Amino acid sequence: MTIYPTELMVLGLWLVAPALLLGLLVLYAVHARFGQRMGLRPWRAASLLVVFGIAFAALILVYAPAGTARSLGLRDIRILGWQTYWAPVGFMAQLLALPVALWLGRGR
């Protein structure tokens, strides 16, 4: 079975998308609670979260030690009778990207 580069990219985005949506919800909650005090610009922070989240996920997948492959790899789950995949690497990448996006997303 051959996987083409576009299929691999779509699969990678599918694995990062749930964590990215959760990260954007957390960013929205932080902005609603502390946005004025922090001087947070929500669109800048959201775009930085997307860029850094995808970049951190790619870096983790490429440069992670071989021993972490079992804990970071794909997992099969069933949602309402539908089989799909998820990967903890997306959530780890968003956890790393959120402070960076909050710090760089502040305005002047």
Side-chain angles (χ1 to χ4, degrees), residues 30-41:
V30 168
H31 173 67
R33 179 73 171 107
F34 304 108
Q36 292 294 337
R37 199 172 339 148
M38 289 176 61
L40 187 67
R41 293 187 177 177

Side-chain angles (χ1 to χ4, degrees), residues 34-108:
F34 304 108
Q36 292 294 337
R37 199 172 339 148
M38 289 176 61
L40 187 67
R41 293 187 177 177
W43 290 107
R44 179 192 291 180
S47 62
L48 287 170
L49 182 71
V50 170
V51 168
F52 281 113
I54 291 173
F56 283 155
L59 287 174
I60 289 171
L61 287 174
V62 170
Y63 292 111
T68 59
R70 180 179 289 284
S71 60
L72 293 178
L74 292 174
R75 313 250 174 139
D76 291 331
I77 59 171
R78 291 185 77 80
I79 299 175
L80 300 173
W82 186 58
Q83 180 116 9
T84 188
Y85 301 107
W86 79 283
V89 69
F91 293 95
M92 288 177 49
Q94 292 304 313
L95 185 66
L96 292 172
L98 187 63
V100 175
L102 287 173
W103 180 55
L104 294 176
R106 295 184 302 177
R108 292 185 180 179

Side-chain angles (χ1 to χ4, degrees), residues 6-21:
T6 53
E7 292 173 337
L8 185 62
M9 195 165 63
V10 168
L11 178 64
L13 289 176
W14 171 254
L15 295 175
V16 176
L20 184 62
L21 289 175

